[in-house]
Amino acid sequence: MDVIVCVKQIPDPETPAAAFKVDEAAMQVLPAQGISPVISPFDAQAVEAALRIKDASGDGTVNIISLGPDSARDAIKHSLAMGADEGYHLKDDAFEGGDAWTTALALSKAIQHLGVPDVLIFGRQAADWDQGTVGSIVAELLDLPSATVLRAVELNGGSITVSRVVADGFENIDLPTPCVLTISNEFGDPRYPQLRQIMQAARKQVTELTASDLGLDPSEVGAAGSRVQMHALFQPTSDVEVEIIEGDTPEEKAAGLVNALREAKIL
């Protein structure tokens, strides 16, 4: 069974808050010094789901697509080290500054360029902007059935059986192939690449695709084609006032706290 997984490179979610900076004028998140970006954790789980599908089917391929600057190649290489077969990097200045719509448009064209596989897999959302819309937009553009926020995926003959996370539990759905799936954190931990796999992935070639390769005009993608316009990006400020309640005993401190709360009209 052939699978394509779309992955994204993001700032490391473990970046200390003190190292996180925003250029408010440019409305961009500044790279943290000394901290490399990483594959979005949900996308690593999507790669794991694809590899399990391939293992269960006994044949097929797992190919990776990522859109972004040079650093996106690292997300592809990480996926190849996990066990994916081929990597494709959508790299073009025309793609810069895009939104979920333009990203999904470029990805859908790349998928058509490579050939629509049996299954397309995405993380439930990118762990930076947390919008969770690209997979569903790709499904709509390719006119494919989809299921989102999945905790389990199993082959069922010629179809796919999935378990979907909903507000009050789980629901099981059967989908025909080809289909689009988005994987949630409930799926479980992805496999960790071993040194030998990392070295093998480093030697693999990643194919670059530009907007023109995909038949896209620069006006359709990136900032030019965006349907969402950002008006401001900033770090919220948090002013915290601390008052020390004095007292020689716990009882005196408790009484002082009660009085302070009453004066603040909290009690």
Side-chain angles (χ1 to χ4, degrees), residues 10 13 53 59 106 118 138 143 150 162 167 195 198-199 225 228 253 260:
I10 66 166
I53 289 174
D59 61 5
D118 299 296
V138 169
D143 194 24
L150 305 181
V162 301
L195 178 60
I198 294 171
M199 294 176 66
V228 175
K253 293 178 181 179

Side-chain angles (χ1 to χ4, degrees), residues 18 44 61 77 92 95 137 175 200 203 219 222 224 228 230 250 262:
T61 60
K77 289 287 188 178
D92 194 317
F95 294 140
I137 298 173
L175 294 107
Q200 289 174 341
R203 292 193 293 268
S219 64
V228 175
M230 186 182 299
R262 284 175 176 165

Side-chain angles (χ1 to χ4, degrees), residues 44-264:
Q45 290 168 316
V47 176
E48 177 64 29
L51 295 172
R52 293 186 194 179
I53 289 174
K54 178 184 174 181
D55 292 343
S57 67
D59 61 5
T61 60
V62 174
N63 292 333
I64 307 298
I65 302 176
S66 186
L67 181 151
D70 289 337
S71 64
R73 181 179 291 265
D74 293 336
I76 298 172
K77 289 287 188 178
H78 181 91
S79 304
L80 294 174
M82 288 177 65
D85 297 291
E86 301 292 340
Y88 298 87
H89 184 188
L90 308 191
K91 181 185 173 186
D92 194 317
D93 290 342
F95 294 140
E96 294 297 319
D99 60 3
W101 164 261
T102 58
T103 298
L105 177 62
L107 291 173
S108 66
K109 291 296 185 181
I111 291 161
Q112 289 175 319
H113 177 79
L114 298 175
V116 177
D118 299 296
V119 187
L120 287 165
I121 306 185
F122 297 77
R124 64 174 288 174
Q125 63 203 59
D128 51 359
W129 294 100
D130 286 328
Q131 294 182 13
T133 56
V134 170
S136 296
I137 298 173
V138 169
E140 183 70 18
L141 290 171
L142 296 178
D143 194 24
L144 296 176
S146 66
T148 59
V149 196
L150 305 181
R151 65 167 187 151
V153 178
E154 294 182 2
L155 297 182
N156 186 15
S159 64
I160 300 285
T161 298
V162 301
S163 179
R164 184 171 183 267
V165 181
V166 293
D168 56 352
F170 310 104
E171 63 179 6
N172 295 331
I173 304 172
D174 289 330
L175 294 107
T177 57
C179 61
V180 176
L181 313 176
T182 76
I183 304 300
S184 186
N185 56 290
E186 291 87 352
F187 188 85
D189 294 332
R191 66 194 67 185
Y192 191 81
Q194 301 300 312
L195 178 60
R196 179 175 58 84
Q197 296 170 303
I198 294 171
M199 294 176 66
Q200 289 174 341
R203 292 193 293 268
K204 285 189 175 182
Q205 295 296 315
V206 174
T207 302
E208 291 188 0
L209 297 171
T210 65
S212 62
D213 291 331
L214 304 178
L216 289 166
D217 188 274
S219 64
E220 298 179 90
V221 292
S226 293
R227 300 190 177 189
V228 175
Q229 299 300 317
M230 186 182 299
H231 294 285
L233 181 67
F234 58 92
Q235 291 176 267
T237 57
S238 178
D239 295 327
V240 178
E241 294 183 4
V242 177
E243 180 180 348
I244 304 298
I245 305 298
E246 301 290 348
D248 294 330
T249 66
E251 290 77 9
E252 290 180 4
K253 293 178 181 179
L257 175 60
V258 170
N259 290 333
L261 293 174
R262 284 175 176 165
E263 291 174 3

